[in-house]
Amino acid sequence: LLSCRLYCEEAKDPKRRSCQTVLAEALDIVVRSFAPILPHLAEEVFQYIPYKKDSEGVFRTGWINASSAWKKPGIEEAIEGACAMRDSFLGSISGKNALEYEVIIVIEPGLLFELMEALQAEETSSVSQLNEIMMASQTTLLSELPKETPSDANIIKGTFLINLEGGDICEQSSYKIIARPIAKAKCPRCRRYTAESSSTPCPRCLQVLAAGKGST
């Protein structure tokens, strides 16, 4: 997830910038957390953070002060649900490269489906947050099994308990996952199987490369 956003997206792309913001916030919190027991190390790390504009030091800039903007309702549950489905997927292809597969996630309409839609607005995507978490080359989110699903298809079934607002909202949701080898070629830039030819970058990478040339 991190490597894809940091190294494959355009420099000013919101996905890449948001990833950098999360890493910066995490570093700030970790350094302030261990400062009382490892003061010299914390101070040295703080002084070498390139985006810090002040030089007062870690002990003169206050304790941890995380913004309330990070506490967005439903996000934690959405990520946990996606991770549970990812584990089911990876378990079904044990020892194989997840990028060589496309994943179809089937969830009946309900709270879990809505949470997954927050991670992937499109029906099928190779660049959504949901697909990044699944670690596949492409993810499709559906409310029912595709009509063309073979009778012998390997369908992985699972459940996930959603717990929102301190337990006031609870819902046990079931899901189905179909993992099948993807038919596309490996992109020479991002290494995902989303290209039409192994010698040509995928559409996403072609767009990023074109934007880079236009800005130089």
Side-chain angles (χ1 to χ4, degrees):
L1 175 59
L2 293 180
S3 62
C4 183
R5 289 193 176 195
L6 291 174
Y7 299 114
C8 296
E9 299 291 354
E10 187 183 356
K12 295 183 179 180
D13 188 280
K15 288 183 179 180
R16 185 175 185 273
R17 297 292 290 150
S18 66
C19 182
Q20 291 176 313
T21 298
V22 170
L23 290 174
E25 185 74 9
L27 177 61
D28 185 84
I29 291 175
V30 169
V31 172
R32 293 181 192 277
S33 297
F34 67 65
I37 56 175
L38 294 170
H40 299 293
L41 177 60
E43 185 62 36
E44 184 175 3
V45 172
F46 198 81
Q47 293 299 327
Y48 278 93
I49 294 178
Y51 48 83
K52 288 290 182 184
K53 295 182 179 179
D54 57 70
S55 58
E56 293 184 356
V58 67
F59 293 101
R60 294 187 178 183
T61 53
W63 185 236
I64 297 169
N65 186 24
S67 171
S68 59
W70 295 100
K71 299 177 181 180
K72 192 173 181 181
I75 289 298
E76 181 178 354
E77 288 73 18
I79 299 298
E80 288 180 350
C83 287
M85 289 185 281
R86 178 196 62 196
D87 292 344
S88 297
F89 159 56
L90 295 178
S92 71
I93 60 163
S94 181
K96 298 180 181 178
N97 183 2
L99 288 174
E100 295 179 359
Y101 289 82
E102 61 174 321
V103 174
I104 299 174
I105 300 174
V106 182
I107 308 171
E108 292 185 359
L111 188 53
L112 182 59
F113 187 86
E114 292 175 5
L115 290 175
M116 293 306 105
E117 279 190 315
L119 301 177
Q120 178 169 302
E122 310 88 347
E123 183 176 283
T124 299
S125 177
S126 61
V127 297
S128 69
Q129 294 181 74
L130 179 58
N131 186 67
E132 290 178 341
I133 293 171
M134 295 301 294
M135 299 171 64
S137 277
Q138 180 176 286
T139 297
T140 298
L141 180 62
L142 301 173
S143 58
E144 58 182 14
L145 283 172
K147 295 180 180 179
E148 67 275 11
T149 303
S151 57
D152 60 346
N154 181 24
I155 301 177
I156 307 124
K157 298 180 181 180
T159 59
F160 181 72
L161 177 62
I162 300 170
N163 196 332
L164 287 171
E165 298 183 9
D168 292 339
I169 301 176
C170 289
E171 184 176 298
Q172 182 86 11
S173 301
S174 60
Y175 60 83
K176 299 183 180 79
I177 296 175
I178 302 174
R180 58 191 186 190
I182 196 162
K184 294 187 178 181
K186 185 177 182 179
C187 173
R189 183 174 180 270
C190 69
R191 305 299 180 184
R192 287 184 175 178
Y193 289 76
T194 51
E196 298 301 324
S197 166
S198 59
S199 60
T200 306
C202 66
R204 188 274 299 270
C205 287
L206 286 173
Q207 184 177 357
V208 173
L209 291 170
K213 289 180 180 179
S215 61
T216 56

